[in-house]
Amino acid sequence: MKPLSSVQSFGGLQNQYEHVSATLNCTMQFSVFLPPQAADGHKVPVAYWLSGLTCTDQNFATKAGAQRVAAELGIAIVMPDTSPRGKGVPDDADKAYDFGLGAGFYVDATQTPWNAHYRMYSYIVEELPALLEANLPVSNKRAVFGHSMGGHGALTIALNNPGRYVSVSAFSPIVSPSQCPWGQKALGLYLGEDQAAWQRHDTVALIRAGAPQMPMLVDQGLADNFLAAQLKTELLEKALEETGYPAEIRYHPGYDHSYYFIATFIEDHLRFHARHLQ
């Protein structure tokens, strides 16, 4: 694990690292905000942020404005990249933004050529936490949150691994990739055409199948131009109502899909996770 940069922020450190990932078979970069409470080596709880389509580890770090509240609460934030990258890592032939580089969809690909590198699910759940907990002052008390494709990743990863995360939240998540164009394309190419294999990566399907309950918060902007065709938040709302799953969904008039939306409500999400992490 090699440090690339470190800058002070609100008494803590905003760091970037790279490492060779055995899971993804390439060199990966990720960012970590360490709050001032970690300065003496004291292990702090950690929230894993999963970004959306086209993002790297830097989008959230530079745009969300999360460091001030994380420093107050004593929470580390881990910001991984959204896909494997580098020489030999395949990309979409048409360089489409919704598949390939920058669009790993937080699944473990089973189809060639993607399965040699695109194993973001295992990277987020297993390899990256093990690396960080062995090398940085972060504990195994974990929360997970994300935006859009990363909101999908956060929700499905948490629901599939309730013992590893104390809480989950999402901004503008893709709640049912098996029922929207982004998800159908990605899951079909990464996992194959058998839709039974898609279900563990579909939040609505997991809720309806009886996924264990955990603290969950979802924020959705009503001016989001992806809401009707891709995000379909109403499908999650219906599944929660049908199963009695006690999650909170909040709709916000006038807010779109951008980081202006995330920056407006990121404090709510961090305080939500802090209640469960601490």
Side-chain angles (χ1 to χ4, degrees):
M1 190 169 113
K2 175 184 175 182
L4 296 179
S5 65
S6 181
V7 295
Q8 194 163 34
S9 179
F10 294 97
L13 293 173
Q14 180 65 51
N15 299 334
Q16 188 182 40
Y17 304 90
E18 71 175 16
H19 75 115
V20 176
S21 168
T23 300
L24 302 178
N25 193 25
C26 66
T27 297
M28 293 292 288
Q29 294 184 353
F30 61 90
S31 294
V32 180
F33 175 71
L34 291 173
Q37 293 85 343
D40 60 356
H42 173 72
K43 293 200 171 195
V44 295
V46 58
Y48 287 80
W49 171 265
L50 307 185
S51 286
L53 291 167
T54 76
C55 289
T56 69
D57 62 300
Q58 290 290 287
N59 292 75
F60 183 85
T62 59
K63 295 179 179 180
Q67 290 88 349
R68 176 185 62 81
V69 180
E72 174 196 332
L73 297 172
I75 296 173
I77 306 176
V78 173
M79 295 148 269
D81 204 343
T82 53
S83 77
R85 298 182 194 265
K87 184 178 180 180
V89 176
D91 191 13
D92 182 77
D94 298 321
K95 306 296 182 184
Y97 76 95
D98 58 354
F99 185 76
L101 298 184
F105 265 83
Y106 303 100
V107 302
D108 285 352
T110 59
Q111 306 300 298
T112 56
W114 317 107
N115 57 352
H117 297 279
Y118 286 79
R119 304 186 69 246
M120 288 298 295
Y121 179 93
S122 290
Y123 179 70
I124 298 298
V125 174
E126 298 171 4
E127 185 180 21
L128 187 58
L131 177 71
L132 298 180
E133 290 162 21
N135 290 280
L136 294 178
V138 298
S139 75
N140 62 3
K141 293 195 73 173
R142 313 177 194 95
V144 61
F145 59 153
H147 171 234
S148 194
M149 177 187 72
H152 140 76
L155 291 169
T156 55
I157 282 173
L159 292 173
N160 278 305
N161 300 274
R164 293 185 65 84
Y165 305 96
V166 300
S167 54
V168 60
S169 70
F171 292 86
S172 316
I174 303 168
V175 302
S176 187
S178 64
Q179 300 184 70
C180 76
W182 278 344
Q184 290 165 348
K185 176 181 178 179
L187 298 184
L189 291 170
Y190 286 137
L191 303 179
E193 293 305 316
D194 181 4
Q195 295 195 19
W198 300 7
Q199 300 309 296
R200 71 187 295 255
H201 300 290
D202 186 302
T203 299
V204 169
L206 288 168
I207 294 288
R208 286 193 168 134
Q213 295 182 359
M214 65 166 48
M216 180 187 295
L217 170 65
V218 173
D219 276 331
Q220 176 60 57
L222 290 175
D224 190 324
N225 60 329
F226 299 116
L227 177 56
Q230 304 285 5
L231 308 179
K232 299 179 180 286
T233 312
E234 76 280 359
L235 297 178
L236 176 59
E237 191 170 22
K238 184 177 180 182
L240 295 171
E241 291 173 355
E242 290 174 351
T243 59
Y245 200 110
E248 182 178 8
I249 298 180
R250 308 189 306 184
Y251 292 98
H252 303 276
Y255 284 93
D256 63 8
H257 201 70
S258 72
Y259 263 84
Y260 296 110
F261 175 45
I262 295 170
T264 302
F265 297 103
I266 192 63
E267 181 169 352
D268 291 357
H269 284 243
L270 288 169
R271 294 193 184 280
F272 166 79
H273 291 299
R275 292 197 295 272
H276 304 286
L277 286 166
Q278 299 173 342

